[in-house]
Amino acid sequence: MLSKAEKKLVKTESTLEETESKYRDEVCKLSKENQKISRLLRDTKADVTCLQAREPEVSIERVEVEVESEDLRQVLTESQKENALLETDVNDWRQKYTELTNQMKALQEQNINYNKQLQQNIEEVIEIEAKHDKEMERINEEMNGQVEKVKNELKDELDNLRSTNSSLRSKILNVNTSFEELCESHEALKKQASHFPRIISVTIDCVKTEAVRAIEDINQKNQELVCKYHKEMKLRKKYHNELVELRGNIRVFCRVRPCIKEDGFTNPSQIIVTYDPFDDGLLFIANKTRSQVFELDKVFDEKVSQIEVFEEVRSLVTSCVDGYNVCIFAYGQTGSGKTYTMEGPQNDPGINQRALQELFSETQERGIDWEYSISVSVLEIYNENIRDLLNDEGLKLEIKMKADGGGLHVPGLKTVEVTSLNHVNQVFLTGQKNRATATTNLNEHSSRSHLILNIEVTGYNKTTNTRTRGKLNLVDLAGSERVSRSGADGARLKEAQNINKSLSCLGDVIHSLRSKQNHIPYRNSKLTYLLQDSLGGESKTLMIVQVSPVDKNISETVCTLNFAQRVRLVELGTAGRQVESGDINEVKKRRNKLC
Ligand SMILES: Nc1ncnc2c1ncn2[C@@H]1O[C@H](COP(=O)(O)OP(=O)(O)OP(=O)(O)O)[C@@H](O)[C@H]1O
C-alpha cells in the first residue's frame, strides 16, 4: 500500500515538475520577447528623438529673382530641380517617420499584451503551485494514513503471529509428547507384529476349515435342492401322466437320431436341434434366424439308448397285461430312425422285442392264480393292401367287425401264440423273410409300408374266474415325407400317394378326435381303420416321433413336430380295462349294450 501511495506521489511530483518547467520556459520565452520588443521600442524612440532633434537639412527658400541672364536662368532651373528632389526626400523621411511611429505603437500594444499574458501565466503558475501544495498535502496525509493503517495491520499480524507461535510452541511440546508415546506404541506393535505370521497362519487355517465346512454345507444343501428338484420334476411328470391318463391324451415322445453317414459330413453348425437341460419335454429347432420350441411329453436326445427308451414305455407295455389296449407307433420321415426304435439291430433290439420280453416276465411274476397266453400277428399295409407277414400264401385280407361285437379283426390273419423270447425271434425272422421275398429292395419297401406288430395278452384268474384281454399294437409307419418333395412318378407316385393318404387320414382322425366331432373318419384308410381300437376310445396311445438332427431335413423335421404337437392335444377319454367276469352271457349282454 505504501509503495502504491509513493508511486502516486512520485508521479504527481513529476507531473508538477513538468508543468512548472513548461511554464518556466514559457515565461522565459515571453520575457525574452518582451526584452526584444522593449529594445526595439527604445531604439525606435531614440531614432525618432534623433530625427526630431536633427536640423532639417533642407530649408526651403523662396527667392524671387529677376532673371536677367541666361546663366542665371540655368542656375535657377537647376536649383528648382534640386529643390524638387529635396522635397521628395523630405516626404520620404516624413513617411518613414509615420511608419516608425505606427510600428512603435503596435509594439507598445504587443508589449502590453505580452505583459498581460505574462501576468496571467504567473497567476496560473501560482495557482498550480497552490494546487500542487494542496495535492502534496493531501497525498502526504493519505500516505501517512496508509502508513498508519499498514503499521496497525502489521502490528495486528505480528500479534497474531506471536500468539500462533506460542500456540505452535505448545503444540510442538504436545507433539513431542505424542511422538514419544507413538514411539512407545510402535515398539509395542513391532513386538506384536513379530507374532503376526503365526497368528495369520492360524487364522488362515481356521478360515480354511470354516470355508471348507461352509462349502460342504452349501454342497449338501445344493444336493438336497437338486434332489428336491428332481423329486418335484418326477412328481410333476407323474401328475402330468395321471392327467394325461385321465384325459386320455395321446402321449407324444420325440427321439432325435444321431448323425449318420447318409447325412454327409456334418459340422456342428449344421445341427439344428438343441435341448433344455432342465426340462426333458422341450426341444428347440434353430430355424433360420429364430429358434422354434416344441413341447412334448418326453424328448430323447441322440445319446439316449434303446434301454432308456424302453424304460419310458415299460409301464405302458405292462398295462396290456392288466387288460388295456395299448398302441405305440413310430412316426417320422424316411431315415429318421423309426425302424431303429421299434425293431432295432439284433445286438441292441428296440421296443418290439423288449416289449415281448417284458410281457413274458410280467406274466410270469403275476403268481400262480393267473394263466396268461401271448399271441402275435405281424402285418403290413402296402398300397392300401393288408399283407400277413407270418403267412406267405398271399391271401387278400380285409378288416372286419367281430361277430360277437368284440371289436375289429382281420379274418384269416395268422396269429401265433408265443411262449419264449426265442420263439418270438423265430416269428420275427419269418415276418422279415416274408417281407423280403415280396420285394427287390427291402429298405425302400419298408420306407413305403406300415408294419404292425399286434400282440394280444389274455389272462385268466382261476381264483376269481376273471379274464383280461389286452392288445398291444406296435406300429412302424411309412416315411412321412411329402409327395411333392419326393418327385416320384408312376408306381412310386402311387405308393407315395397311398402313404400320403393313410398318413393324412391319420391326421384327419386325430383332428376329428381333437375337435370332438361326432364322426371320426377311421374307415378312410386301412391304417386308421385297423388302429381304430387304439386311436379312439378306451386305449392308451403313444406316438414316438422320430427326427433327424441336421439342417438339410429341417422342413420335414418341423412338419413332424407340428404334427406331434397337434396329436398331443387329442383327448381320447379315460382308458378302460378289458376285464370280463366268468359268466360269458353277462359279458355278451354288456358288449351288446355297448354296441
Ligand atoms: N438312435 C439311433 N442310434 C444309432 N443309429 C440310428 C438311430 N436311429 C437311427 N439310426 C440309423 O439311422 C438309419 C436310418 O434309420 P431307420 O432305418 O430306423 O429309419 P426309418 O425312419 O425307419 O427309415 P424308413 O422310413 O426308410 O424305414 C439306420 O442306419 C439306423 O441304424
Side-chain angles (χ1 to χ4, degrees):
M1 271 172 94
L2 187 63
S3 69
K4 202 175 163 191
E6 271 177 348
K7 269 183 196 165
K8 201 172 171 188
L9 185 66
V10 170
K11 200 177 165 194
T12 318
E13 272 180 345
S14 74
T15 318
L16 274 171
E17 269 170 20
E18 228 174 74
T19 321
E20 224 179 280
S21 77
K22 211 166 121 193
Y23 277 107
R24 237 181 256 129
D25 288 352
E26 199 68 32
V27 169
C28 194
K29 222 166 106 188
L30 280 172
S31 66
K32 270 185 191 163
E33 198 75 29
N34 204 11
Q35 277 172 12
K36 209 170 133 193
I37 291 165
S38 298
R39 217 179 307 130
L40 201 67
L41 196 64
R42 214 171 39 242
D43 289 353
T44 316
K45 262 184 185 171
D47 278 356
V48 169
T49 322
C50 193
L51 278 171
Q52 279 174 342
R54 220 163 95 189
E55 281 295 310
E57 283 173 17
V58 183
S59 62
I60 301 159
E61 278 178 53
R62 271 187 193 265
V63 186
E64 294 209 13
V65 257
E66 287 286 318
V67 180
E68 282 161 11
S69 67
E70 199 57 37
D71 292 340
L72 274 172
R73 263 190 210 122
Q74 206 173 341
V75 168
L76 184 63
T77 313
E78 279 171 10
S79 293
Q80 281 172 332
K81 280 180 185 172
E82 204 174 322
N83 198 24
L85 283 171
L86 282 169
E87 270 182 359
T88 316
D89 272 358
V90 167
N91 284 339
D92 285 346
W93 279 111
R94 269 190 193 127
Q95 201 179 341
K96 211 173 176 183
Y97 174 74
T98 315
E99 274 173 11
L100 280 169
T101 311
N102 288 341
Q103 215 174 356
M104 195 180 77
K105 270 182 192 165
L107 282 169
Q108 272 172 341
E109 270 171 23
Q110 207 177 356
N111 191 26
I112 289 162
N113 284 340
Y114 277 133
N115 275 339
K116 267 187 197 165
Q117 181 74 38
L118 184 65
Q119 192 58 38
Q120 209 178 328
N121 285 346
I122 287 165
E123 278 168 12
E124 269 178 23
V125 166
I126 290 165
E127 203 181 318
I128 286 166
E129 270 179 352
K131 265 188 193 167
H132 170 240
D133 288 347
K134 229 173 168 180
E135 184 70 13
M136 281 295 286
E137 212 173 298
R138 194 186 62 74
I139 287 168
N140 274 341
E141 266 173 25
E142 197 179 296
M143 202 174 76
N144 286 340
Q146 294 285 0
V147 166
E148 197 59 31
K149 203 174 151 194
V150 169
K151 242 177 163 179
N152 288 339
E153 279 173 6
L154 284 172
K155 201 176 160 243
D156 289 349
E157 210 167 305
L158 190 68
D159 288 347
N160 280 341
L161 282 171
R162 273 189 188 133
S163 69
T164 316
N165 187 24
S166 70
S167 77
L168 277 173
R169 266 169 202 265
S170 66
K171 270 183 191 166
I172 286 167
L173 279 176
N174 287 341
V175 165
N176 276 343
T177 331
S178 305
F179 180 70
E180 277 164 16
E181 280 169 11
L182 277 173
C183 281
E184 278 169 21
S185 307
H186 178 235
E187 279 307 312
L189 281 171
K190 247 168 124 182
K191 269 185 199 162
Q192 274 182 17
S194 63
H195 302 306
F196 266 13
R198 196 176 49 79
I199 295 169
I200 285 170
S201 82
V202 171
T203 317
I204 286 172
D205 287 346
C206 282
V207 169
K208 264 186 191 165
T209 329
E210 284 292 311
V212 168
R213 204 176 301 145
I215 289 167
E216 275 169 5
D217 277 2
I218 289 168
N219 273 344
Q220 201 180 332
K221 275 184 190 151
N222 211 9
Q223 271 170 8
E224 280 169 17
L225 281 173
V226 170
C227 275
K228 272 186 191 167
Y229 174 74
H230 285 306
K231 263 188 200 164
E232 282 297 318
M233 286 298 279
K234 267 188 189 159
L235 218 60
R236 187 177 159 262
K237 202 96 218 167
K238 195 180 147 225
Y239 291 147
H240 173 74
N241 287 343
E242 278 173 12
L243 187 73
V244 165
E245 218 145 275
L246 280 171
R247 279 199 196 144
N249 289 80
I250 298 180
R251 227 168 293 178
V252 184
F253 292 174
C254 173
R255 188 177 191 186
V256 182
R257 74 148 163 77
C259 283
I260 52 173
K261 66 173 187 302
E262 283 79 0
D263 293 329
F265 170 75
T266 41
N267 63 38
S269 68
Q270 287 170 305
I271 304 293
I272 51 152
V273 183
T274 46
Y275 312 92
D276 186 325
F278 302 107
D279 192 336
D280 60 4
L282 294 181
L283 180 75
F284 302 93
I285 301 291
N287 195 352
K288 289 173 194 150
T289 49
R290 68 201 177 100
S291 170
Q292 257 181 294
V293 59
F294 293 92
E295 194 184 357
L296 301 125
D297 293 290
K298 178 94 192 166
V299 175
F300 301 114
D301 67 31
E302 65 279 359
K303 289 187 214 85
V304 170
S305 66
Q306 299 281 66
I307 300 168
E308 286 169 304
V309 173
F310 183 71
E311 277 309 313
E312 288 296 324
V313 301
R314 184 195 292 273
S315 61
L316 206 61
V317 167
T318 50
S319 69
C320 188
V321 180
D322 297 318
Y324 287 95
N325 278 351
V326 178
C327 179
I328 301 175
F329 52 96
Y331 179 96
Q333 75 172 118
T334 298
S336 57
K338 299 181 294 291
T339 310
Y340 189 92
T341 297
M342 299 311 286
E343 277 179 33
Q346 259 183 357
N347 59 347
D348 192 11
I351 292 172
N352 292 359
Q353 207 195 79
R354 287 177 201 271
L356 279 158
Q357 192 176 355
E358 184 64 25
L359 289 175
F360 285 131
S361 58
E362 184 69 25
T363 49
Q364 274 155 23
E365 274 172 24
R366 286 288 161 114
I368 47 161
D369 282 354
W370 283 96
E371 274 177 10
Y372 282 101
S373 81
I374 302 174
S375 53
V376 296
S377 56
V378 188
L379 62 94
E380 72 169 2
I381 303 173
Y382 175 68
N383 273 350
E384 282 300 275
N385 292 319
I386 298 172
R387 261 191 72 208
D388 187 349
L389 293 182
L390 299 185
N391 189 347
D392 56 356
E393 284 168 14
L395 283 176
K396 193 166 163 46
L397 299 172
E398 288 299 332
I399 306 161
K400 298 269 184 255
M401 186 69 82
K402 277 186 186 168
D404 62 356
L408 295 166
H409 76 135
V410 182
L413 183 73
K414 188 171 178 183
T415 305
V416 178
E417 191 176 334
V418 283
T419 46
S420 68
L421 204 59
N422 268 342
H423 195 181
V424 167
N425 286 337
Q426 277 170 22
V427 171
F428 282 174
L429 266 175
T430 315
Q432 273 167 8
K433 256 190 227 158
N434 285 338
R435 204 179 190 194
T437 47
T439 173
T440 45
N441 185 335
L442 183 63
N443 279 345
E444 279 191 10
H445 178 82
S446 77
S447 299
R448 294 180 191 116
S449 60
H450 310 294
L451 184 88
I452 302 168
L453 168 65
N454 181 269
I455 304 166
E456 204 166 298
V457 185
T458 47
Y460 173 65
N461 190 311
K462 289 177 275 179
T463 319
T464 58
N465 195 25
T466 43
R467 288 177 194 277
T468 58
R469 193 177 64 209
K471 249 199 274 179
L472 174 62
N473 274 314
L474 300 170
V475 188
D476 181 358
L477 291 170
S480 65
E481 54 278 352
R482 283 160 288 166
V483 187
S484 57
R485 255 192 107 200
S486 63
D489 53 9
R492 284 279 193 85
L493 182 65
K494 195 182 164 207
E495 274 177 351
Q497 282 168 341
N498 277 323
I499 298 163
N500 213 37
K501 186 185 162 201
S502 53
L503 289 178
S504 79
C505 285
L506 183 64
D508 292 345
V509 165
I510 282 162
H511 173 76
S512 308
L513 287 167
R514 201 176 131 197
S515 51
K516 298 193 166 64
Q517 286 175 11
N518 290 334
H519 173 69
I520 312 292
Y522 291 115
R523 293 190 182 210
N524 285 0
S525 77
K526 293 270 165 33
L527 177 74
T528 48
Y529 194 21
L530 196 66
L531 295 178
Q532 181 171 346
D533 287 351
S534 308
L535 284 172
E538 304 174 328
S539 64
K540 297 182 179 187
T541 309
L542 167 70
M543 180 188 259
I544 301 178
V545 293
Q546 292 282 153
V547 293
S548 140
V550 291
D551 62 354
K552 71 172 183 182
N553 297 321
I554 188 160
S555 63
E556 290 302 340
T557 301
V558 170
C559 277
T560 303
L561 290 167
N562 280 332
F563 180 69
Q565 302 262 270
R566 287 199 298 278
V567 171
R568 202 167 165 250
L569 297 173
V570 175
E571 288 178 19
L572 300 176
T574 318
R577 288 173 71 198
Q578 307 266 327
V579 187
E580 297 166 0
S581 79
D583 187 346
I584 194 71
N585 293 328
E586 280 295 308
V587 176
K588 274 189 181 169
K589 259 191 221 164
R590 242 196 339 262
R591 277 270 170 82
N592 287 337
K593 251 190 208 169
L594 272 172
C595 288

